[in-house]
Coordinates of all heavy atoms in Angstrom, one line a residue:
M248 N 32.4 189.6 62.4 CA 33.2 189.0 61.4 C 32.4 189.0 60.1 O 31.2 188.8 60.0 CB 33.5 187.5 61.8 CG 34.4 186.8 60.8 SD 36.1 187.4 60.8 CE 36.8 186.2 62.0
Y249 N 33.2 189.3 59.0 CA 32.6 189.4 57.7 C 33.3 188.5 56.7 O 34.5 188.3 56.9 CB 32.6 190.9 57.2 CG 31.9 191.8 58.1 CD1 32.6 192.5 59.1 CD2 30.5 192.0 58.0 CE1 32.0 193.4 59.9 CE2 29.9 192.9 58.8 CZ 30.6 193.6 59.8 OH 30.0 194.4 60.6
R250 N 32.7 188.0 55.7 CA 33.3 187.3 54.7 C 33.0 187.8 53.3 O 31.8 188.0 53.0 CB 32.9 185.8 54.8 CG 33.7 184.9 53.7 CD 33.5 183.4 54.0 NE 32.0 183.1 53.9 CZ 31.5 182.1 54.6 NH1 32.2 181.3 55.3 NH2 30.2 181.9 54.5
C251 N 34.0 187.9 52.5 CA 33.8 188.4 51.1 C 33.2 187.4 50.2 O 33.5 186.2 50.3 CB 35.2 188.8 50.6 SG 35.1 189.4 48.9
N252 N 32.2 187.8 49.5 CA 31.5 186.9 48.6 C 32.4 186.6 47.3 O 32.0 185.7 46.6 CB 30.1 187.4 48.1 CG 29.2 187.4 49.3 OD1 29.2 186.6 50.2 ND2 28.2 188.4 49.3
V253 N 33.4 187.5 47.1 CA 34.1 187.4 45.9 C 35.4 186.6 46.1 O 35.7 185.5 45.5 CB 34.5 188.8 45.3 CG1 35.3 188.6 44.0 CG2 33.2 189.5 45.0
C254 N 36.3 187.0 47.1 CA 37.6 186.3 47.3 C 37.5 185.4 48.5 O 38.5 184.8 48.8 CB 38.7 187.4 47.4 SG 38.7 188.3 48.9
E255 N 36.4 185.5 49.3 CA 36.2 184.6 50.4 C 37.2 184.9 51.6 O 37.3 184.1 52.6 CB 36.3 183.1 50.1 CG 35.2 182.7 49.1 CD 35.1 181.2 48.9 OE1 36.0 180.5 49.2 OE2 34.0 180.7 48.4
A256 N 37.8 186.1 51.6 CA 38.6 186.6 52.7 C 37.7 186.9 53.9 O 36.5 187.3 53.6 CB 39.4 187.8 52.3
E257 N 38.2 186.6 55.1 CA 37.5 187.0 56.3 C 38.1 188.2 57.0 O 39.3 188.2 57.1 CB 37.4 185.8 57.2 CG 36.3 184.8 56.6 CD 36.4 183.4 57.3 OE1 37.2 183.3 58.3 OE2 35.7 182.5 56.9
F258 N 37.3 189.1 57.4 CA 37.9 190.3 58.1 C 36.9 190.9 59.1 O 35.7 190.6 59.0 CB 38.1 191.3 56.9 CG 37.1 191.6 56.0 CD1 36.1 192.6 56.2 CD2 36.9 190.8 54.8 CE1 35.1 192.8 55.3 CE2 35.9 191.0 54.0 CZ 35.0 192.0 54.2
S259 N 37.4 191.7 60.0 CA 36.5 192.2 61.1 C 36.0 193.6 60.7 O 35.0 193.9 61.3 CB 37.3 192.2 62.4 OG 38.5 192.9 62.2
E260 N 36.7 194.3 59.9 CA 36.3 195.6 59.5 C 36.2 195.8 58.0 O 37.2 195.7 57.3 CB 37.3 196.7 60.0 CG 37.1 197.0 61.5 CD 35.9 197.7 61.9 OE1 35.4 198.5 61.1 OE2 35.2 197.4 62.9
P261 N 35.0 196.0 57.5 CA 34.9 196.3 56.0 C 35.6 197.6 55.7 O 35.7 198.5 56.6 CB 33.5 196.4 55.8 CG 32.7 196.3 57.1 CD 33.8 196.1 58.1
K262 N 36.0 197.7 54.5 CA 36.7 199.0 54.1 C 35.6 199.9 53.6 O 34.7 199.5 52.8 CB 37.7 198.6 53.0 CG 38.5 199.8 52.5 CD 39.4 199.4 51.4 CE 40.0 200.5 50.6 NZ 40.7 200.0 49.4
T263 N 35.6 201.2 53.9 CA 34.8 202.2 53.3 C 35.6 203.0 52.4 O 36.6 203.6 52.8 CB 34.1 203.0 54.4 OG1 33.4 202.1 55.3 CG2 33.1 204.0 53.8
T264 N 35.2 203.1 51.2 CA 36.1 203.8 50.2 C 35.3 204.7 49.2 O 34.2 204.4 49.0 CB 36.8 202.7 49.4 OG1 37.7 203.4 48.5 CG2 35.9 201.8 48.6
K265 N 36.0 205.7 48.8 CA 35.6 206.4 47.7 C 36.5 206.3 46.5 O 36.3 206.9 45.5 CB 35.5 207.9 48.1 CG 34.4 208.2 49.1 CD 34.3 209.7 49.4 CE 33.1 209.8 50.4 NZ 32.9 211.1 50.9
D266 N 37.5 205.5 46.7 CA 38.5 205.2 45.6 C 38.0 204.2 44.6 O 37.1 203.3 45.1 CB 39.8 204.7 46.2 CG 40.4 205.7 47.1 OD1 40.2 207.0 46.9 OD2 41.1 205.3 48.1
P267 N 38.4 204.2 43.4 CA 38.1 203.1 42.5 C 38.7 201.8 43.0 O 39.8 201.8 43.5 CB 38.7 203.6 41.2 CG 39.1 205.0 41.3 CD 39.2 205.2 42.8
V268 N 37.9 200.8 43.0 CA 38.4 199.5 43.4 C 38.2 198.5 42.3 O 37.2 198.5 41.5 CB 37.7 199.0 44.7 CG1 38.2 199.7 45.9 CG2 36.3 199.0 44.5
P269 N 39.1 197.5 42.1 CA 38.9 196.5 41.0 C 37.8 195.6 41.4 O 37.7 195.2 42.5 CB 40.3 195.8 41.0 CG 41.0 196.1 42.3 CD 40.4 197.4 42.8
Y270 N 36.9 195.4 40.4 CA 35.8 194.5 40.7 C 35.6 193.6 39.4 O 35.1 194.1 38.5 CB 34.5 195.2 41.0 CG 33.4 194.4 41.5 CD1 33.3 193.9 42.7 CD2 32.4 194.0 40.5 CE1 32.2 193.1 43.1 CE2 31.4 193.2 40.9 CZ 31.3 192.7 42.2 OH 30.2 191.9 42.6
G271 N 36.1 192.4 39.5 CA 36.1 191.6 38.3 C 37.1 192.2 37.3 O 38.3 192.5 37.7
S272 N 36.7 192.5 36.1 CA 37.6 193.0 35.1 C 37.6 194.5 35.1 O 38.4 195.2 34.4 CB 37.3 192.4 33.7 OG 35.9 192.7 33.4
R273 N 36.6 195.1 35.8 CA 36.4 196.5 35.7 C 37.0 197.2 37.0 O 37.1 196.6 38.0 CB 35.0 196.9 35.5 CG 34.3 196.4 34.3 CD 32.9 196.6 34.3 NE 32.2 195.9 35.4 CZ 31.1 196.3 36.0 NH1 30.5 197.4 35.5 NH2 30.6 195.6 37.0
E274 N 37.2 198.5 36.9 CA 37.4 199.3 38.0 C 36.1 200.2 38.3 O 35.7 200.9 37.5 CB 38.6 200.3 37.8 CG 40.0 199.6 37.8 CD 40.9 200.3 38.7 OE1 40.8 201.5 38.9 OE2 41.7 199.6 39.4
V275 N 35.6 199.9 39.5 CA 34.3 200.6 39.8 C 34.5 201.5 41.0 O 35.2 201.1 42.0 CB 33.2 199.5 40.1 CG1 31.9 200.2 40.3 CG2 33.1 198.6 38.9
T276 N 33.9 202.6 41.0 CA 33.9 203.4 42.2 C 32.7 203.3 43.1 O 31.5 203.4 42.6 CB 34.1 204.9 41.9 OG1 35.2 205.1 41.0 CG2 34.2 205.8 43.1
Y277 N 32.9 202.9 44.4 CA 31.7 202.9 45.3 C 31.8 204.1 46.2 O 32.6 204.0 47.1 CB 31.8 201.6 46.1 CG 31.6 200.3 45.3 CD1 32.7 199.6 44.9 CD2 30.3 199.9 44.8 CE1 32.6 198.4 44.2 CE2 30.2 198.8 44.1 CZ 31.3 198.0 43.7 OH 31.1 196.9 43.0
P278 N 31.1 205.2 46.0 CA 31.2 206.3 46.9 C 30.7 206.0 48.3 O 29.6 205.8 48.6 CB 30.3 207.4 46.2 CG 29.8 206.7 45.0 CD 29.9 205.3 45.1
G279 N 31.7 206.0 49.2 CA 31.4 205.8 50.7 C 30.7 204.5 51.0 O 29.9 204.4 51.9
V280 N 30.9 203.5 50.2 CA 30.3 202.2 50.4 C 31.2 201.2 51.0 O 32.4 201.2 50.7 CB 29.7 201.6 49.0 CG1 29.4 200.2 49.0 CG2 28.5 202.4 48.6
S281 N 30.8 200.4 51.9 CA 31.5 199.3 52.5 C 31.8 198.2 51.5 O 30.9 197.8 50.8 CB 30.9 198.8 53.7 OG 30.7 199.8 54.7
C282 N 33.1 197.7 51.6 CA 33.4 196.6 50.7 C 34.5 195.8 51.3 O 35.1 196.2 52.3 CB 33.8 197.1 49.3 SG 35.3 198.1 49.4
C283 N 34.9 194.7 50.7 CA 36.0 193.9 51.1 C 37.3 194.7 51.1 O 37.6 195.3 50.1 CB 36.1 192.6 50.3 SG 37.6 191.7 50.4
P284 N 38.1 194.7 52.2 CA 39.3 195.4 52.2 C 40.4 194.8 51.3 O 41.4 195.5 50.9 CB 39.8 195.4 53.6 CG 39.1 194.2 54.2 CD 37.9 194.0 53.5
F285 N 40.2 193.6 50.8 CA 41.2 193.0 50.0 C 40.9 193.1 48.4 O 41.8 193.4 47.6 CB 41.3 191.5 50.3 CG 41.7 191.3 51.7 CD1 40.7 190.9 52.7 CD2 43.0 191.5 52.2 CE1 41.0 190.7 54.0 CE2 43.3 191.3 53.5 CZ 42.3 191.0 54.5
C286 N 39.7 192.9 48.0 CA 39.3 192.9 46.6 C 38.3 193.9 46.3 O 38.0 194.2 45.1 CB 39.0 191.5 46.1 SG 37.3 191.1 46.6
G287 N 37.6 194.5 47.3 CA 36.6 195.5 47.0 C 35.2 194.9 46.7 O 34.3 195.6 46.3
G288 N 35.1 193.6 46.9 CA 33.9 192.9 46.5 C 32.8 193.0 47.6 O 33.0 193.6 48.7
D289 N 31.7 192.5 47.3 CA 30.6 192.4 48.3 C 30.9 191.4 49.3 O 31.6 190.5 49.2 CB 29.3 192.0 47.4 CG 28.0 192.5 48.0 OD1 28.1 193.3 48.9 OD2 27.0 192.1 47.6
F290 N 30.3 191.7 50.5 CA 30.5 190.8 51.6 C 29.3 190.5 52.5 O 28.3 191.2 52.3 CB 31.6 191.4 52.5 CG 31.2 192.7 53.2 CD1 30.6 192.7 54.4 CD2 31.5 193.8 52.5 CE1 30.2 193.9 55.0 CE2 31.1 195.0 53.1 CZ 30.5 195.1 54.3
E291 N 29.3 189.5 53.3 CA 28.2 189.3 54.2 C 28.7 189.0 55.6 O 29.9 188.7 55.8 CB 27.3 188.1 53.7 CG 28.2 186.8 53.7 CD 27.3 185.6 53.0 OE1 26.2 185.8 52.8 OE2 28.0 184.6 52.8
E292 N 27.9 189.2 56.6 CA 28.2 189.0 58.0 C 28.2 187.5 58.3 O 27.3 186.8 57.9 CB 27.3 189.8 58.9 CG 27.8 189.8 60.3 CD 27.1 190.9 61.2 OE1 26.2 191.6 60.6 OE2 27.5 191.0 62.3
V293 N 29.3 187.1 58.9 CA 29.4 185.6 59.3 C 29.6 185.5 60.8 O 30.0 186.4 61.5 CB 30.4 184.9 58.6 CG1 30.1 184.8 57.1 CG2 31.8 185.5 58.8
Q294 N 29.2 184.3 61.4 CA 29.4 184.0 62.8 C 30.5 182.9 62.8 O 30.6 182.2 61.9 CB 28.1 183.6 63.4 CG 27.0 184.6 63.4 CD 25.8 184.0 64.1 OE1 25.8 183.7 65.3 NE2 24.7 183.8 63.4
I295 N 31.1 182.8 64.0 CA 32.1 181.7 64.2 C 31.4 180.7 65.1 O 30.9 181.0 66.2 CB 33.4 182.2 64.8 CG1 34.1 183.2 63.8 CG2 34.3 181.0 65.1 CD1 35.2 184.0 64.4
C296 N 31.4 179.5 64.6 CA 30.8 178.4 65.4 C 31.5 178.2 66.7 O 32.7 178.0 66.7 CB 30.7 177.1 64.6 SG 30.0 175.7 65.5
E297 N 30.7 178.1 67.8 CA 31.4 177.9 69.1 C 31.9 176.4 69.3 O 32.6 176.2 70.3 CB 30.4 178.2 70.2 CG 30.2 179.7 70.3 CD 29.2 180.1 71.3 OE1 28.9 179.3 72.3 OE2 28.7 181.2 71.2
L298 N 31.4 175.5 68.4 CA 31.9 174.1 68.6 C 33.0 173.8 67.7 O 34.0 173.3 68.1 CB 30.7 173.2 68.2 CG 29.7 173.0 69.4 CD1 28.6 172.0 69.0 CD2 30.4 172.4 70.7
C299 N 32.9 174.1 66.4 CA 34.0 173.7 65.4 C 34.9 174.9 65.0 O 35.9 174.6 64.4 CB 33.4 173.0 64.3 SG 32.5 174.0 63.1
G300 N 34.5 176.1 65.2 CA 35.3 177.2 64.9 C 35.2 177.7 63.5 O 35.8 178.6 63.0
E301 N 34.3 176.9 62.6 CA 34.1 177.3 61.3 C 33.1 178.5 61.3 O 32.4 178.8 62.1 CB 33.4 176.2 60.5 CG 34.3 175.0 60.3 CD 35.5 175.2 59.4 OE1 35.2 175.8 58.3 OE2 36.6 174.8 59.7
T302 N 33.2 179.3 60.1 CA 32.3 180.4 60.0 C 31.1 179.9 59.3 O 31.1 179.0 58.4 CB 33.0 181.6 59.1 OG1 33.5 181.1 58.0 CG2 34.1 182.2 60.0
F303 N 30.0 180.6 59.6 CA 28.7 180.2 59.0 C 27.8 181.5 58.9 O 28.1 182.4 59.7 CB 28.0 179.1 59.7 CG 27.6 179.4 61.1 CD1 26.3 179.9 61.4 CD2 28.6 179.3 62.2 CE1 26.0 180.2 62.7 CE2 28.2 179.7 63.5 CZ 27.0 180.1 63.7
T304 N 26.8 181.5 58.1 CA 25.9 182.6 57.9 C 24.6 182.5 58.5 O 24.0 183.4 59.0 CB 25.7 183.0 56.4 OG1 25.3 181.8 55.7 CG2 27.0 183.6 55.8
E305 N 24.1 181.3 58.6 CA 22.8 181.1 59.1 C 22.7 179.9 60.0 O 23.4 178.9 59.8 CB 21.7 180.9 58.0 CG 21.3 182.1 57.4 CD 20.3 181.9 56.3 OE1 19.4 181.0 56.4 OE2 20.4 182.6 55.2
S306 N 21.9 180.0 61.1 CA 21.8 178.9 62.0 C 20.5 179.0 62.8 O 20.0 180.1 63.1 CB 22.9 178.9 63.0 OG 22.8 177.8 63.9
K307 N 19.9 177.8 63.1 CA 18.7 177.8 63.9 C 19.0 178.0 65.3 O 18.2 178.5 66.1 CB 17.9 176.5 63.7 CG 17.4 176.3 62.3 CD 16.8 174.9 62.2 CE 16.9 174.3 60.8 NZ 18.0 173.4 60.6
H308 N 20.3 177.6 65.7 CA 20.7 177.8 67.1 C 21.8 178.8 67.1 O 22.8 178.7 66.5 CB 21.1 176.5 67.7 CG 21.5 176.5 69.1 ND1 20.5 176.6 70.1 CD2 22.6 176.6 69.7 CE1 21.0 176.6 71.3 NE2 22.4 176.6 71.1
N309 N 21.7 179.8 68.0 CA 22.7 180.9 68.1 C 24.1 180.3 68.4 O 24.3 179.6 69.4 CB 22.3 181.8 69.2 CG 21.9 183.2 68.7 OD1 22.0 183.3 67.4 ND2 21.5 184.0 69.5
G310 N 25.0 180.7 67.6 CA 26.4 180.5 67.9 C 27.0 179.1 67.5 O 28.1 178.8 67.6
V311 N 26.1 178.2 66.9 CA 26.6 176.9 66.4 C 26.1 176.7 65.0 O 25.0 177.0 64.7 CB 26.0 175.8 67.4 CG1 26.6 174.4 66.9 CG2 26.4 176.0 68.8
C312 N 27.0 176.2 64.1 CA 26.7 176.0 62.7 C 25.8 174.8 62.5 O 25.7 173.9 63.4 CB 28.0 175.9 62.0 SG 28.8 174.2 62.1
D313 N 25.1 174.8 61.4 CA 24.1 173.7 61.1 C 24.7 172.4 61.1 O 24.1 171.4 61.5 CB 23.5 174.0 59.7 CG 22.5 175.1 59.7 OD1 22.1 175.5 60.9 OD2 22.0 175.5 58.7
S314 N 26.0 172.1 60.6 CA 26.6 170.9 60.6 C 26.8 170.4 62.0 O 26.7 169.2 62.3 CB 27.8 170.7 59.8 OG 28.8 171.5 60.2
C315 N 27.2 171.3 62.9 CA 27.5 170.9 64.3 C 26.1 170.5 65.0 O 26.0 169.6 65.8 CB 28.1 172.0 65.1 SG 29.9 172.0 64.8
I316 N 25.0 171.3 64.6 CA 23.7 170.9 65.2 C 23.3 169.5 64.8 O 22.9 168.8 65.6 CB 22.7 172.0 64.7 CG1 23.0 173.4 65.4 CG2 21.3 171.5 65.1 CD1 22.1 174.4 64.8
S317 N 23.5 169.2 63.5 CA 23.1 167.9 63.0 C 24.0 166.8 63.7 O 23.5 165.7 63.9 CB 23.0 167.8 61.5 OG 24.3 167.9 61.0
I318 N 25.3 167.1 63.9 CA 26.1 166.1 64.6 C 25.7 165.8 66.0 O 25.5 164.7 66.4 CB 27.6 166.6 64.6 CG1 28.2 166.4 63.2 CG2 28.5 165.7 65.6 CD1 29.5 167.2 63.0
V319 N 25.3 166.9 66.8 CA 24.8 166.8 68.1 C 23.5 166.0 68.2 O 23.3 165.1 69.0 CB 24.7 168.2 68.8 CG1 24.0 168.1 70.1 CG2 26.1 168.8 69.0
V320 N 22.6 166.4 67.2 CA 21.3 165.7 67.1 C 21.5 164.2 66.9 O 20.8 163.4 67.4 CB 20.4 166.4 66.1 CG1 19.1 165.6 65.8 CG2 20.0 167.8 66.6
N321 N 22.4 163.9 65.9 CA 22.6 162.5 65.6 C 23.2 161.7 66.8 O 22.8 160.6 67.0 CB 23.6 162.4 64.4 CG 22.9 162.7 63.1 OD1 21.7 162.6 63.0 ND2 23.7 163.0 62.1
R322 N 24.1 162.4 67.5 CA 24.7 161.7 68.7 C 23.6 161.5 69.7 O 23.6 160.4 70.4 CB 25.8 162.6 69.2 CG 27.2 162.4 68.5 CD 28.3 163.3 69.0 NE 28.4 163.2 70.4 CZ 29.0 164.2 71.1 NH1 29.5 165.2 70.6 NH2 29.2 164.1 72.4
H323 N 22.8 162.4 69.9 CA 21.7 162.3 70.9 C 20.8 161.1 70.4 O 20.4 160.3 71.3 CB 20.9 163.6 70.8 CG 19.7 163.6 71.8 ND1 18.4 163.9 71.4 CD2 19.6 163.3 73.1 CE1 17.6 163.8 72.4 NE2 18.3 163.5 73.5
S324 N 20.5 161.1 69.1 CA 19.7 160.0 68.6 C 20.3 158.6 68.8 O 19.7 157.6 69.2 CB 19.5 160.2 67.1 OG 18.7 159.2 66.6
E325 N 21.6 158.5 68.6 CA 22.4 157.3 68.8 C 22.3 156.9 70.3 O 22.2 155.7 70.6 CB 23.8 157.4 68.3 CG 24.0 157.4 66.7 CD 23.4 156.1 66.2 OE1 23.7 155.0 66.7 OE2 22.6 156.3 65.2
L326 N 22.6 157.9 71.1 CA 22.6 157.6 72.5 C 21.2 157.0 73.0 O 21.2 156.1 73.8 CB 22.8 158.9 73.3 CG 22.9 158.9 74.8 CD1 24.3 158.3 75.2 CD2 22.8 160.3 75.3
L327 N 20.1 157.6 72.5 CA 18.8 157.1 72.8 C 18.6 155.6 72.4 O 18.2 154.8 73.1 CB 17.7 157.9 72.2 CG 17.4 159.3 72.9 CD1 16.5 160.1 72.0 CD2 17.0 159.0 74.3
K328 N 19.0 155.4 71.0 CA 18.8 154.1 70.4 C 19.6 153.0 71.2 O 19.2 151.8 71.2 CB 19.2 154.0 69.0 CG 18.1 154.7 68.1 CD 18.6 154.8 66.6 CE 17.8 155.8 65.8 NZ 18.5 156.2 64.6
T329 N 20.8 153.3 71.7 CA 21.6 152.3 72.3 C 21.3 152.2 73.8 O 21.7 151.2 74.5 CB 23.1 152.6 72.2 OG1 23.4 154.0 72.7 CG2 23.6 152.5 70.8
N330 N 20.6 153.1 74.4 CA 20.2 153.0 75.8 C 18.8 152.8 76.1 O 18.4 152.5 77.3 CB 20.8 154.3 76.5 CG 22.3 154.3 76.6 OD1 22.8 153.7 77.5 ND2 22.9 155.0 75.7
F331 N 17.9 153.1 75.1 CA 16.5 153.0 75.4 C 15.8 152.1 74.3 O 16.2 152.1 73.1 CB 15.8 154.3 75.4 CG 16.3 155.2 76.6 CD1 17.4 156.0 76.3 CD2 15.8 155.2 77.8 CE1 17.8 156.9 77.4 CE2 16.2 156.0 78.9 CZ 17.3 156.8 78.6
T332 N 14.8 151.4 74.7 CA 13.9 150.7 73.7 C 13.0 151.7 73.0 O 12.8 152.8 73.5 CB 13.1 149.6 74.3 OG1 12.1 150.3 75.2 CG2 13.9 148.7 75.3
P333 N 12.5 151.3 71.8 CA 11.5 152.2 71.1 C 10.4 152.6 72.0 O 9.9 153.8 71.9 CB 11.1 151.4 69.9 CG 12.2 150.5 69.6 CD 12.9 150.2 70.9
F334 N 9.9 151.7 72.8 CA 8.8 152.0 73.7 C 9.2 153.0 74.7 O 8.5 154.0 75.0 CB 8.3 150.6 74.4 CG 7.1 150.9 75.3 CD1 6.0 151.5 74.8 CD2 7.2 150.5 76.7 CE1 4.9 151.7 75.6 CE2 6.1 150.7 77.5 CZ 4.9 151.3 77.0
E335 N 10.4 152.9 75.3 CA 11.0 153.9 76.3 C 11.1 155.3 75.6 O 10.9 156.3 76.2 CB 12.3 153.4 76.9 CG 12.1 152.2 77.8 CD 13.4 151.6 78.3 OE1 14.4 151.6 77.5 OE2 13.5 151.1 79.4
I336 N 11.6 155.2 74.4 CA 11.7 156.5 73.6 C 10.4 157.1 73.5 O 10.3 158.4 73.6 CB 12.5 156.3 72.3 CG1 13.9 155.9 72.5 CG2 12.4 157.5 71.4 CD1 14.7 155.4 71.3
A337 N 9.4 156.4 73.1 CA 8.0 156.9 73.0 C 7.6 157.5 74.3 O 6.9 158.6 74.3 CB 7.0 155.9 72.6
I338 N 7.9 156.9 75.5 CA 7.5 157.4 76.8 C 8.2 158.8 77.0 O 7.7 159.7 77.4 CB 7.9 156.4 77.9 CG1 7.1 155.1 77.8 CG2 7.8 157.0 79.3 CD1 7.5 154.1 78.7
L339 N 9.6 158.7 76.7 CA 10.3 160.0 76.8 C 9.8 161.1 75.9 O 9.7 162.3 76.4 CB 11.8 159.8 76.3 CG 12.7 159.1 77.3 CD1 14.0 158.7 76.7 CD2 13.0 160.0 78.5
N340 N 9.3 160.8 74.7 CA 8.8 161.9 73.8 C 7.5 162.5 74.4 O 7.4 163.7 74.3 CB 8.4 161.3 72.5 CG 9.6 161.3 71.5 OD1 10.4 162.1 71.5 ND2 9.8 160.3 70.7
S341 N 6.7 161.7 75.0 CA 5.5 162.3 75.7 C 5.8 163.0 77.0 O 5.3 164.0 77.3 CB 4.4 161.3 75.8 OG 4.7 160.3 76.7
A342 N 6.8 162.4 77.7 CA 7.1 162.9 79.0 C 7.8 164.3 78.9 O 7.7 165.2 79.7 CB 8.0 162.0 79.8
L343 N 8.6 164.5 77.7 CA 9.4 165.7 77.6 C 8.5 166.8 76.9 O 9.0 167.8 76.5 CB 10.6 165.5 76.8 CG 11.6 164.6 77.5 CD1 12.9 164.3 76.7 CD2 12.1 165.3 78.8
D344 N 7.2 166.4 76.6 CA 6.2 167.5 76.2 C 6.6 168.4 75.2 O 7.1 169.5 75.4 CB 5.8 168.2 77.6 CG 4.6 169.2 77.2 OD1 3.7 168.8 76.5 OD2 4.6 170.3 77.8
G345 N 6.4 168.0 73.9 CA 6.7 168.9 72.8 C 8.1 168.8 72.3 O 8.4 169.2 71.2
R346 N 9.0 168.5 73.1 CA 10.5 168.4 72.6 C 10.6 167.0 72.0 O 10.9 166.1 72.6 CB 11.5 168.6 73.8 CG 11.6 170.1 74.2 CD 12.8 170.2 75.1 NE 12.5 169.8 76.4 CZ 13.4 169.4 77.3 NH1 14.6 169.3 77.0 NH2 13.0 169.0 78.5
N347 N 10.4 167.0 70.8 CA 10.3 165.7 70.0 C 11.7 165.1 69.8 O 12.6 165.8 69.2 CB 9.6 165.9 68.7 CG 9.3 164.5 68.0 OD1 9.0 163.6 68.7 ND2 9.4 164.5 66.8
I348 N 12.0 164.0 70.3 CA 13.3 163.3 70.1 C 13.0 162.0 69.3 O 12.0 161.4 69.5 CB 14.1 163.0 71.4 CG1 13.1 162.4 72.5 CG2 14.7 164.3 71.9 CD1 13.8 162.1 73.7
Q349 N 13.9 161.6 68.5 CA 13.6 160.5 67.6 C 14.7 159.4 67.7 O 15.9 159.7 67.9 CB 13.6 160.9 66.1 CG 12.2 161.6 65.8 CD 12.5 162.7 64.7 OE1 13.4 162.7 64.0 NE2 11.5 163.6 64.7
Ligands
ZN568 ZN1 37.3 190.1 48.7
ZN569 ZN1 30.2 174.1 63.9

């Protein structure tokens, strides 16, 4: 999946063109260059989040967007705070060896 940086359209196949395409106020020719099929603009590759279905460009975790990661991390944190005392959380942190939970 790709998303246009100019018109924000999403598409699966970029257009490869030798024709002049409108770009802003000018008509510009990109010889054999990939561009947005709708406006001819620049585009970037995006992924679709497996949790919320939104598109995103970067993530620390494959397939899930940053906002979903922080929601899951916050829920995990809330779960710990409501079910464990701070002392038990400290025990968990050392028991889970390097996987730091707060
Ligand atoms: Zn576009
Ligand atoms: Zn998401």
Side-chain angles (χ1 to χ4, degrees):
M248 180 73 87
Y249 302 94
R250 183 171 58 209
C251 178
N252 292 328
V253 180
C254 71
E255 296 188 345
E257 286 167 4
F258 48 93
S259 54
E260 280 295 320
K262 182 181 167 190
T263 303
T264 181
K265 290 184 176 173
D266 300 329
V268 289
Y270 187 81
S272 56
R273 298 174 299 153
E274 287 232 326
V275 182
T276 304
Y277 296 101
V280 162
S281 299
C282 63
C283 169
F285 301 102
C286 75
D289 209 8
F290 62 89
E291 60 188 350
E292 192 163 0
V293 294
Q294 301 180 64
I295 298 168
C296 176
E297 287 177 23
L298 281 179
C299 70
E301 294 290 316
T302 53
F303 63 97
T304 50
E305 278 177 41
S306 177
K307 294 173 209 104
H308 185 77
N309 250 356
V311 181
C312 75
D313 282 348
S314 65
C315 282
I316 291 171
S317 65
I318 289 168
V319 170
V320 168
N321 284 340
R322 278 174 55 199
H323 179 235
S324 178
E325 284 305 309
L326 185 75
L327 283 174
K328 281 176 198 159
T329 52
N330 289 281
F331 296 92
T332 66
F334 182 55
E335 288 170 332
I336 291 171
I338 293 169
L339 280 171
N340 272 323
S341 66
L343 293 175
D344 187 37
R346 280 192 285 158
N347 189 36
I348 49 182
Q349 285 148 17

